[in-house]
PDB file of all heavy atoms in Angstrom:
ATOM      1  N   PRO A 201       6.573 118.036 245.517  1.00  0.00           N
ATOM      2  CA  PRO A 201       6.806 116.639 244.992  1.00  0.00           C
ATOM      3  C   PRO A 201       7.726 115.875 245.827  1.00  0.00           C
ATOM      4  O   PRO A 201       8.814 116.402 246.342  1.00  0.00           O
ATOM      5  CB  PRO A 201       7.315 116.898 243.631  1.00  0.00           C
ATOM      6  CG  PRO A 201       7.002 118.288 243.233  1.00  0.00           C
ATOM      7  CD  PRO A 201       7.056 119.062 244.548  1.00  0.00           C
ATOM      8  N   LEU A 202       7.459 114.617 246.028  1.00  0.00           N
ATOM      9  CA  LEU A 202       8.272 113.717 246.766  1.00  0.00           C
ATOM     10  C   LEU A 202       9.048 112.714 245.978  1.00  0.00           C
ATOM     11  O   LEU A 202       9.605 111.845 246.539  1.00  0.00           O
ATOM     12  CB  LEU A 202       7.391 113.072 247.862  1.00  0.00           C
ATOM     13  CG  LEU A 202       6.761 114.009 248.881  1.00  0.00           C
ATOM     14  CD1 LEU A 202       5.848 113.167 249.852  1.00  0.00           C
ATOM     15  CD2 LEU A 202       7.811 114.810 249.679  1.00  0.00           C
ATOM     16  N   GLY A 203       8.870 112.774 244.588  1.00  0.00           N
ATOM     17  CA  GLY A 203       9.368 111.679 243.762  1.00  0.00           C
ATOM     18  C   GLY A 203       8.330 110.771 243.248  1.00  0.00           C
ATOM     19  O   GLY A 203       7.207 110.753 243.682  1.00  0.00           O
ATOM     20  N   GLU A 204       8.849 109.889 242.463  1.00  0.00           N
ATOM     21  CA  GLU A 204       7.993 108.774 241.949  1.00  0.00           C
ATOM     22  C   GLU A 204       7.730 107.650 242.995  1.00  0.00           C
ATOM     23  O   GLU A 204       8.630 107.446 243.784  1.00  0.00           O
ATOM     24  CB  GLU A 204       8.657 108.234 240.732  1.00  0.00           C
ATOM     25  CG  GLU A 204       8.777 109.093 239.571  1.00  0.00           C
ATOM     26  CD  GLU A 204       7.337 109.517 238.944  1.00  0.00           C
ATOM     27  OE1 GLU A 204       6.507 108.636 238.812  1.00  0.00           O
ATOM     28  OE2 GLU A 204       7.261 110.710 238.770  1.00  0.00           O
ATOM     29  N   PRO A 205       6.614 106.988 242.919  1.00  0.00           N
ATOM     30  CA  PRO A 205       6.397 105.917 243.883  1.00  0.00           C
ATOM     31  C   PRO A 205       7.410 104.784 243.629  1.00  0.00           C
ATOM     32  O   PRO A 205       7.812 104.559 242.546  1.00  0.00           O
ATOM     33  CB  PRO A 205       4.998 105.437 243.577  1.00  0.00           C
ATOM     34  CG  PRO A 205       4.407 106.455 242.694  1.00  0.00           C
ATOM     35  CD  PRO A 205       5.525 107.264 242.112  1.00  0.00           C
ATOM     36  N   VAL A 206       7.789 104.104 244.786  1.00  0.00           N
ATOM     37  CA  VAL A 206       8.788 102.995 244.645  1.00  0.00           C
ATOM     38  C   VAL A 206       8.011 101.753 244.238  1.00  0.00           C
ATOM     39  O   VAL A 206       8.520 100.974 243.427  1.00  0.00           O
ATOM     40  CB  VAL A 206       9.415 102.780 246.076  1.00  0.00           C
ATOM     41  CG1 VAL A 206      10.297 101.570 245.980  1.00  0.00           C
ATOM     42  CG2 VAL A 206      10.213 104.079 246.427  1.00  0.00           C
ATOM     43  N   ALA A 207       6.783 101.668 244.657  1.00  0.00           N
ATOM     44  CA  ALA A 207       5.919 100.500 244.364  1.00  0.00           C
ATOM     45  C   ALA A 207       4.422 100.898 244.356  1.00  0.00           C
ATOM     46  O   ALA A 207       4.112 101.848 244.946  1.00  0.00           O
ATOM     47  CB  ALA A 207       6.186  99.278 245.348  1.00  0.00           C
ATOM     48  N   ALA A 208       3.640 100.141 243.585  1.00  0.00           N
ATOM     49  CA  ALA A 208       2.186 100.459 243.554  1.00  0.00           C
ATOM     50  C   ALA A 208       1.501  99.036 243.391  1.00  0.00           C
ATOM     51  O   ALA A 208       2.112  98.113 242.720  1.00  0.00           O
ATOM     52  CB  ALA A 208       1.747 101.351 242.445  1.00  0.00           C
ATOM     53  N   ARG A 209       0.220  98.997 243.893  1.00  0.00           N
ATOM     54  CA  ARG A 209      -0.501  97.769 243.671  1.00  0.00           C
ATOM     55  C   ARG A 209      -1.911  98.109 243.473  1.00  0.00           C
ATOM     56  O   ARG A 209      -2.500  98.940 244.173  1.00  0.00           O
ATOM     57  CB  ARG A 209      -0.316  96.874 244.799  1.00  0.00           C
ATOM     58  CG  ARG A 209      -1.089  95.522 244.763  1.00  0.00           C
ATOM     59  CD  ARG A 209      -1.039  94.750 246.047  1.00  0.00           C
ATOM     60  NE  ARG A 209       0.223  94.464 246.269  1.00  0.00           N
ATOM     61  CZ  ARG A 209       0.711  93.658 247.254  1.00  0.00           C
ATOM     62  NH1 ARG A 209      -0.237  93.071 248.147  1.00  0.00           N
ATOM     63  NH2 ARG A 209       1.942  93.392 247.506  1.00  0.00           N
ATOM     64  N   VAL A 210      -2.632  97.500 242.584  1.00  0.00           N
ATOM     65  CA  VAL A 210      -4.097  97.626 242.348  1.00  0.00           C
ATOM     66  C   VAL A 210      -4.611  96.297 242.686  1.00  0.00           C
ATOM     67  O   VAL A 210      -4.296  95.204 242.219  1.00  0.00           O
ATOM     68  CB  VAL A 210      -4.399  97.927 240.938  1.00  0.00           C
ATOM     69  CG1 VAL A 210      -5.926  97.980 240.745  1.00  0.00           C
ATOM     70  CG2 VAL A 210      -3.814  99.267 240.545  1.00  0.00           C
ATOM     71  N   THR A 211      -5.589  96.237 243.687  1.00  0.00           N
ATOM     72  CA  THR A 211      -6.313  95.022 244.078  1.00  0.00           C
ATOM     73  C   THR A 211      -7.746  95.074 243.649  1.00  0.00           C
ATOM     74  O   THR A 211      -8.361  96.144 244.049  1.00  0.00           O
ATOM     75  CB  THR A 211      -6.118  94.819 245.607  1.00  0.00           C
ATOM     76  OG1 THR A 211      -4.756  94.852 245.898  1.00  0.00           O
ATOM     77  CG2 THR A 211      -6.837  93.618 246.049  1.00  0.00           C
ATOM     78  N   ARG A 212      -8.265  94.107 243.072  1.00  0.00           N
ATOM     79  CA  ARG A 212      -9.611  93.966 242.658  1.00  0.00           C
ATOM     80  C   ARG A 212     -10.205  92.857 243.505  1.00  0.00           C
ATOM     81  O   ARG A 212      -9.719  91.786 243.433  1.00  0.00           O
ATOM     82  CB  ARG A 212      -9.784  93.776 241.283  1.00  0.00           C
ATOM     83  CG  ARG A 212      -9.153  94.820 240.373  1.00  0.00           C
ATOM     84  CD  ARG A 212     -10.060  95.411 239.416  1.00  0.00           C
ATOM     85  NE  ARG A 212      -9.407  96.310 238.531  1.00  0.00           N
ATOM     86  CZ  ARG A 212      -9.752  97.628 238.359  1.00  0.00           C
ATOM     87  NH1 ARG A 212     -10.810  98.030 239.045  1.00  0.00           N
ATOM     88  NH2 ARG A 212      -9.122  98.344 237.537  1.00  0.00           N
ATOM     89  N   TRP A 213     -11.246  93.121 244.176  1.00  0.00           N
ATOM     90  CA  TRP A 213     -11.863  92.146 244.969  1.00  0.00           C
ATOM     91  C   TRP A 213     -13.054  91.545 244.125  1.00  0.00           C
ATOM     92  O   TRP A 213     -13.994  92.122 243.712  1.00  0.00           O
ATOM     93  CB  TRP A 213     -12.550  92.777 246.241  1.00  0.00           C
ATOM     94  CG  TRP A 213     -11.480  93.351 247.095  1.00  0.00           C
ATOM     95  CD1 TRP A 213     -11.012  94.610 247.124  1.00  0.00           C
ATOM     96  CD2 TRP A 213     -10.637  92.684 247.995  1.00  0.00           C
ATOM     97  NE1 TRP A 213     -10.066  94.814 248.004  1.00  0.00           N
ATOM     98  CE2 TRP A 213      -9.779  93.612 248.552  1.00  0.00           C
ATOM     99  CE3 TRP A 213     -10.591  91.309 248.444  1.00  0.00           C
ATOM    100  CZ2 TRP A 213      -8.784  93.227 249.546  1.00  0.00           C
ATOM    101  CZ3 TRP A 213      -9.605  90.990 249.486  1.00  0.00           C
ATOM    102  CH2 TRP A 213      -8.721  91.932 249.975  1.00  0.00           C
ATOM    103  N   ASP A 214     -12.940  90.196 243.906  1.00  0.00           N
ATOM    104  CA  ASP A 214     -13.845  89.463 242.931  1.00  0.00           C
ATOM    105  C   ASP A 214     -15.327  89.688 243.402  1.00  0.00           C
ATOM    106  O   ASP A 214     -16.191  89.767 242.526  1.00  0.00           O
ATOM    107  CB  ASP A 214     -13.512  88.031 243.001  1.00  0.00           C
ATOM    108  CG  ASP A 214     -12.199  87.714 242.269  1.00  0.00           C
ATOM    109  OD1 ASP A 214     -11.730  88.560 241.461  1.00  0.00           O
ATOM    110  OD2 ASP A 214     -11.595  86.725 242.523  1.00  0.00           O
ATOM    111  N   ARG A 215     -15.664  89.692 244.660  1.00  0.00           N
ATOM    112  CA  ARG A 215     -17.012  89.880 245.130  1.00  0.00           C
ATOM    113  C   ARG A 215     -17.210  91.180 245.697  1.00  0.00           C
ATOM    114  O   ARG A 215     -18.248  91.400 246.426  1.00  0.00           O
ATOM    115  CB  ARG A 215     -17.279  88.655 246.122  1.00  0.00           C
ATOM    116  CG  ARG A 215     -17.179  87.436 245.547  1.00  0.00           C
ATOM    117  CD  ARG A 215     -17.629  86.279 246.480  1.00  0.00           C
ATOM    118  NE  ARG A 215     -17.260  84.910 245.956  1.00  0.00           N
ATOM    119  CZ  ARG A 215     -17.990  84.173 245.076  1.00  0.00           C
ATOM    120  NH1 ARG A 215     -19.153  84.701 244.733  1.00  0.00           N
ATOM    121  NH2 ARG A 215     -17.564  83.017 244.799  1.00  0.00           N
ATOM    122  N   GLY A 216     -16.350  92.144 245.497  1.00  0.00           N
ATOM    123  CA  GLY A 216     -16.605  93.450 245.993  1.00  0.00           C
ATOM    124  C   GLY A 216     -17.496  94.326 244.991  1.00  0.00           C
ATOM    125  O   GLY A 216     -18.134  93.810 244.187  1.00  0.00           O
ATOM    126  N   LEU A 217     -17.454  95.633 245.116  1.00  0.00           N
ATOM    127  CA  LEU A 217     -18.276  96.492 244.254  1.00  0.00           C
ATOM    128  C   LEU A 217     -17.659  96.364 242.895  1.00  0.00           C
ATOM    129  O   LEU A 217     -16.440  96.227 242.668  1.00  0.00           O
ATOM    130  CB  LEU A 217     -18.028  98.004 244.739  1.00  0.00           C
ATOM    131  CG  LEU A 217     -18.772  98.269 246.130  1.00  0.00           C
ATOM    132  CD1 LEU A 217     -18.520  99.657 246.492  1.00  0.00           C
ATOM    133  CD2 LEU A 217     -20.377  97.930 245.981  1.00  0.00           C
ATOM    134  N   PRO A 218     -18.513  96.445 241.860  1.00  0.00           N
ATOM    135  CA  PRO A 218     -18.057  96.327 240.437  1.00  0.00           C
ATOM    136  C   PRO A 218     -17.131  97.455 240.051  1.00  0.00           C
ATOM    137  O   PRO A 218     -17.279  98.506 240.652  1.00  0.00           O
ATOM    138  CB  PRO A 218     -19.308  96.382 239.601  1.00  0.00           C
ATOM    139  CG  PRO A 218     -20.403  96.213 240.595  1.00  0.00           C
ATOM    140  CD  PRO A 218     -20.023  96.506 242.022  1.00  0.00           C
ATOM    141  N   GLN A 219     -16.268  97.252 239.191  1.00  0.00           N
ATOM    142  CA  GLN A 219     -15.398  98.222 238.660  1.00  0.00           C
ATOM    143  C   GLN A 219     -15.780  98.551 237.229  1.00  0.00           C
ATOM    144  O   GLN A 219     -15.943  97.693 236.384  1.00  0.00           O
ATOM    145  CB  GLN A 219     -13.872  97.659 238.683  1.00  0.00           C
ATOM    146  CG  GLN A 219     -13.407  97.296 239.991  1.00  0.00           C
ATOM    147  CD  GLN A 219     -13.226  98.477 240.872  1.00  0.00           C
ATOM    148  OE1 GLN A 219     -12.743  99.408 240.605  1.00  0.00           O
ATOM    149  NE2 GLN A 219     -13.612  98.238 242.171  1.00  0.00           N
ATOM    150  N   TYR A 220     -15.854  99.880 236.946  1.00  0.00           N
ATOM    151  CA  TYR A 220     -16.236 100.289 235.592  1.00  0.00           C
ATOM    152  C   TYR A 220     -15.031 100.001 234.688  1.00  0.00           C
ATOM    153  O   TYR A 220     -13.863 100.216 235.034  1.00  0.00           O
ATOM    154  CB  TYR A 220     -16.561 101.759 235.462  1.00  0.00           C
ATOM    155  CG  TYR A 220     -17.902 102.087 236.270  1.00  0.00           C
ATOM    156  CD1 TYR A 220     -17.964 103.121 237.138  1.00  0.00           C
ATOM    157  CD2 TYR A 220     -19.078 101.301 236.138  1.00  0.00           C
ATOM    158  CE1 TYR A 220     -19.059 103.419 237.888  1.00  0.00           C
ATOM    159  CE2 TYR A 220     -20.255 101.689 236.783  1.00  0.00           C
ATOM    160  CZ  TYR A 220     -20.223 102.659 237.624  1.00  0.00           C
ATOM    161  OH  TYR A 220     -21.317 103.060 238.340  1.00  0.00           O
ATOM    162  N   GLU A 221     -15.396  99.602 233.412  1.00  0.00           N
ATOM    163  CA  GLU A 221     -14.224  99.440 232.476  1.00  0.00           C
ATOM    164  C   GLU A 221     -13.815 100.834 231.808  1.00  0.00           C
ATOM    165  O   GLU A 221     -14.430 101.760 231.949  1.00  0.00           O
ATOM    166  CB  GLU A 221     -14.782  98.535 231.299  1.00  0.00           C
ATOM    167  CG  GLU A 221     -15.081  97.167 231.697  1.00  0.00           C
ATOM    168  CD  GLU A 221     -15.573  96.402 230.612  1.00  0.00           C
ATOM    169  OE1 GLU A 221     -15.620  96.791 229.433  1.00  0.00           O
ATOM    170  OE2 GLU A 221     -15.974  95.249 230.823  1.00  0.00           O
ATOM    171  N   VAL A 222     -12.619 100.815 231.307  1.00  0.00           N
ATOM    172  CA  VAL A 222     -12.037 101.952 230.709  1.00  0.00           C
ATOM    173  C   VAL A 222     -13.039 102.445 229.672  1.00  0.00           C
ATOM    174  O   VAL A 222     -13.521 101.589 228.803  1.00  0.00           O
ATOM    175  CB  VAL A 222     -10.693 101.696 230.072  1.00  0.00           C
ATOM    176  CG1 VAL A 222     -10.124 102.816 229.238  1.00  0.00           C
ATOM    177  CG2 VAL A 222      -9.585 101.250 231.128  1.00  0.00           C
ATOM    178  N   GLY A 223     -13.318 103.738 229.514  1.00  0.00           N
ATOM    179  CA  GLY A 223     -14.195 104.255 228.593  1.00  0.00           C
ATOM    180  C   GLY A 223     -15.625 104.365 229.093  1.00  0.00           C
ATOM    181  O   GLY A 223     -16.517 104.799 228.406  1.00  0.00           O
ATOM    182  N   HIS A 224     -15.885 103.983 230.330  1.00  0.00           N
ATOM    183  CA  HIS A 224     -17.185 104.022 230.931  1.00  0.00           C
ATOM    184  C   HIS A 224     -17.890 105.352 230.856  1.00  0.00           C
ATOM    185  O   HIS A 224     -19.066 105.528 230.531  1.00  0.00           O
ATOM    186  CB  HIS A 224     -17.175 103.411 232.350  1.00  0.00           C
ATOM    187  CG  HIS A 224     -18.588 103.488 232.983  1.00  0.00           C
ATOM    188  ND1 HIS A 224     -19.555 102.620 232.731  1.00  0.00           N
ATOM    189  CD2 HIS A 224     -18.990 104.432 233.941  1.00  0.00           C
ATOM    190  CE1 HIS A 224     -20.557 103.050 233.532  1.00  0.00           C
ATOM    191  NE2 HIS A 224     -20.278 104.032 234.188  1.00  0.00           N
ATOM    192  N   HIS A 225     -17.120 106.385 231.220  1.00  0.00           N
ATOM    193  CA  HIS A 225     -17.745 107.725 231.280  1.00  0.00           C
ATOM    194  C   HIS A 225     -18.175 108.232 229.979  1.00  0.00           C
ATOM    195  O   HIS A 225     -19.209 108.798 229.785  1.00  0.00           O
ATOM    196  CB  HIS A 225     -16.794 108.737 232.044  1.00  0.00           C
ATOM    197  CG  HIS A 225     -16.594 108.395 233.511  1.00  0.00           C
ATOM    198  ND1 HIS A 225     -17.585 108.517 234.466  1.00  0.00           N
ATOM    199  CD2 HIS A 225     -15.479 107.853 234.122  1.00  0.00           C
ATOM    200  CE1 HIS A 225     -17.130 108.076 235.639  1.00  0.00           C
ATOM    201  NE2 HIS A 225     -15.832 107.645 235.429  1.00  0.00           N
ATOM    202  N   ASP A 226     -17.383 107.923 228.967  1.00  0.00           N
ATOM    203  CA  ASP A 226     -17.720 108.322 227.623  1.00  0.00           C
ATOM    204  C   ASP A 226     -18.972 107.639 227.118  1.00  0.00           C
ATOM    205  O   ASP A 226     -19.877 108.125 226.496  1.00  0.00           O
ATOM    206  CB  ASP A 226     -16.605 108.069 226.603  1.00  0.00           C
ATOM    207  CG  ASP A 226     -15.423 109.107 226.815  1.00  0.00           C
ATOM    208  OD1 ASP A 226     -15.670 110.177 227.302  1.00  0.00           O
ATOM    209  OD2 ASP A 226     -14.287 108.779 226.494  1.00  0.00           O
ATOM    210  N   ARG A 227     -19.061 106.333 227.450  1.00  0.00           N
ATOM    211  CA  ARG A 227     -20.229 105.435 227.019  1.00  0.00           C
ATOM    212  C   ARG A 227     -21.448 105.993 227.774  1.00  0.00           C
ATOM    213  O   ARG A 227     -22.455 106.138 227.150  1.00  0.00           O
ATOM    214  CB  ARG A 227     -19.904 104.111 227.585  1.00  0.00           C
ATOM    215  CG  ARG A 227     -20.867 103.009 226.982  1.00  0.00           C
ATOM    216  CD  ARG A 227     -20.481 101.577 227.260  1.00  0.00           C
ATOM    217  NE  ARG A 227     -19.053 101.281 226.996  1.00  0.00           N
ATOM    218  CZ  ARG A 227     -18.124 101.162 227.862  1.00  0.00           C
ATOM    219  NH1 ARG A 227     -18.380 101.018 229.130  1.00  0.00           N
ATOM    220  NH2 ARG A 227     -16.817 100.844 227.472  1.00  0.00           N
ATOM    221  N   VAL A 228     -21.337 106.312 229.016  1.00  0.00           N
ATOM    222  CA  VAL A 228     -22.512 106.856 229.691  1.00  0.00           C
ATOM    223  C   VAL A 228     -22.935 108.250 229.243  1.00  0.00           C
ATOM    224  O   VAL A 228     -24.086 108.499 229.092  1.00  0.00           O
ATOM    225  CB  VAL A 228     -22.145 106.938 231.270  1.00  0.00           C
ATOM    226  CG1 VAL A 228     -23.317 107.745 232.030  1.00  0.00           C
ATOM    227  CG2 VAL A 228     -22.114 105.608 231.888  1.00  0.00           C
ATOM    228  N   ARG A 229     -21.977 109.070 228.841  1.00  0.00           N
ATOM    229  CA  ARG A 229     -22.310 110.412 228.208  1.00  0.00           C
ATOM    230  C   ARG A 229     -23.068 110.125 226.920  1.00  0.00           C
ATOM    231  O   ARG A 229     -24.171 110.885 226.730  1.00  0.00           O
ATOM    232  CB  ARG A 229     -20.991 111.077 227.920  1.00  0.00           C
ATOM    233  CG  ARG A 229     -21.208 112.498 227.257  1.00  0.00           C
ATOM    234  CD  ARG A 229     -20.002 113.164 226.875  1.00  0.00           C
ATOM    235  NE  ARG A 229     -19.000 112.362 226.208  1.00  0.00           N
ATOM    236  CZ  ARG A 229     -19.091 112.008 224.904  1.00  0.00           C
ATOM    237  NH1 ARG A 229     -20.135 112.417 224.154  1.00  0.00           N
ATOM    238  NH2 ARG A 229     -18.258 111.213 224.265  1.00  0.00           N
ATOM    239  N   ARG A 230     -22.717 109.205 226.041  1.00  0.00           N
ATOM    240  CA  ARG A 230     -23.468 108.940 224.798  1.00  0.00           C
ATOM    241  C   ARG A 230     -24.819 108.369 225.128  1.00  0.00           C
ATOM    242  O   ARG A 230     -25.822 108.712 224.498  1.00  0.00           O
ATOM    243  CB  ARG A 230     -22.642 107.913 223.914  1.00  0.00           C
ATOM    244  CG  ARG A 230     -21.326 108.510 223.409  1.00  0.00           C
ATOM    245  CD  ARG A 230     -20.690 107.682 222.344  1.00  0.00           C
ATOM    246  NE  ARG A 230     -20.512 106.291 222.756  1.00  0.00           N
ATOM    247  CZ  ARG A 230     -19.419 105.807 223.351  1.00  0.00           C
ATOM    248  NH1 ARG A 230     -18.410 106.633 223.578  1.00  0.00           N
ATOM    249  NH2 ARG A 230     -19.296 104.600 223.650  1.00  0.00           N
ATOM    250  N   ILE A 231     -24.983 107.535 226.093  1.00  0.00           N
ATOM    251  CA  ILE A 231     -26.236 106.910 226.405  1.00  0.00           C
ATOM    252  C   ILE A 231     -27.139 108.080 227.006  1.00  0.00           C
ATOM    253  O   ILE A 231     -28.318 108.174 226.507  1.00  0.00           O
ATOM    254  CB  ILE A 231     -26.159 105.873 227.483  1.00  0.00           C
ATOM    255  CG1 ILE A 231     -25.483 104.630 226.877  1.00  0.00           C
ATOM    256  CG2 ILE A 231     -27.530 105.510 228.132  1.00  0.00           C
ATOM    257  CD1 ILE A 231     -24.965 103.583 227.959  1.00  0.00           C
ATOM    258  N   ARG A 232     -26.665 108.894 227.764  1.00  0.00           N
ATOM    259  CA  ARG A 232     -27.422 109.993 228.325  1.00  0.00           C
ATOM    260  C   ARG A 232     -27.840 111.049 227.280  1.00  0.00           C
ATOM    261  O   ARG A 232     -28.958 111.505 227.336  1.00  0.00           O
ATOM    262  CB  ARG A 232     -26.702 110.770 229.508  1.00  0.00           C
ATOM    263  CG  ARG A 232     -26.660 109.904 230.750  1.00  0.00           C
ATOM    264  CD  ARG A 232     -26.307 110.714 231.892  1.00  0.00           C
ATOM    265  NE  ARG A 232     -26.264 110.041 233.135  1.00  0.00           N
ATOM    266  CZ  ARG A 232     -27.258 109.650 233.884  1.00  0.00           C
ATOM    267  NH1 ARG A 232     -28.395 109.979 233.492  1.00  0.00           N
ATOM    268  NH2 ARG A 232     -27.212 108.932 235.006  1.00  0.00           N
ATOM    269  N   GLU A 233     -26.956 111.252 226.298  1.00  0.00           N
ATOM    270  CA  GLU A 233     -27.297 112.174 225.223  1.00  0.00           C
ATOM    271  C   GLU A 233     -28.466 111.503 224.307  1.00  0.00           C
ATOM    272  O   GLU A 233     -29.373 112.260 223.945  1.00  0.00           O
ATOM    273  CB  GLU A 233     -26.074 112.371 224.273  1.00  0.00           C
ATOM    274  CG  GLU A 233     -25.096 113.280 224.803  1.00  0.00           C
ATOM    275  CD  GLU A 233     -23.857 113.513 224.002  1.00  0.00           C
ATOM    276  OE1 GLU A 233     -23.732 112.790 222.894  1.00  0.00           O
ATOM    277  OE2 GLU A 233     -22.782 114.149 224.366  1.00  0.00           O
TER     278      GLU A 233
END
């Protein structure tokens, strides 16, 4: 381990690839079932 990060940033590109919302994998699992 090197310790905790000093800084972090999440960048979302408005016209980039879509981002799944939180809970997406559970929703897909239910749909597939």
Side-chain angles (χ1 to χ4, degrees):
L202 300 176
E204 294 296 317
V206 175
R209 179 186 300 184
V210 174
T211 303
R212 303 234 186 236
W213 298 95
D214 293 338
R215 298 185 191 271
L217 293 174
Q219 302 291 317
Y220 295 133
E221 294 181 4
V222 173
H224 174 78
H225 293 290
D226 288 333
R227 192 173 309 112
V228 169
R229 180 185 48 76
R230 291 192 307 271
I231 291 168
R232 288 198 180 279
E233 285 175 3

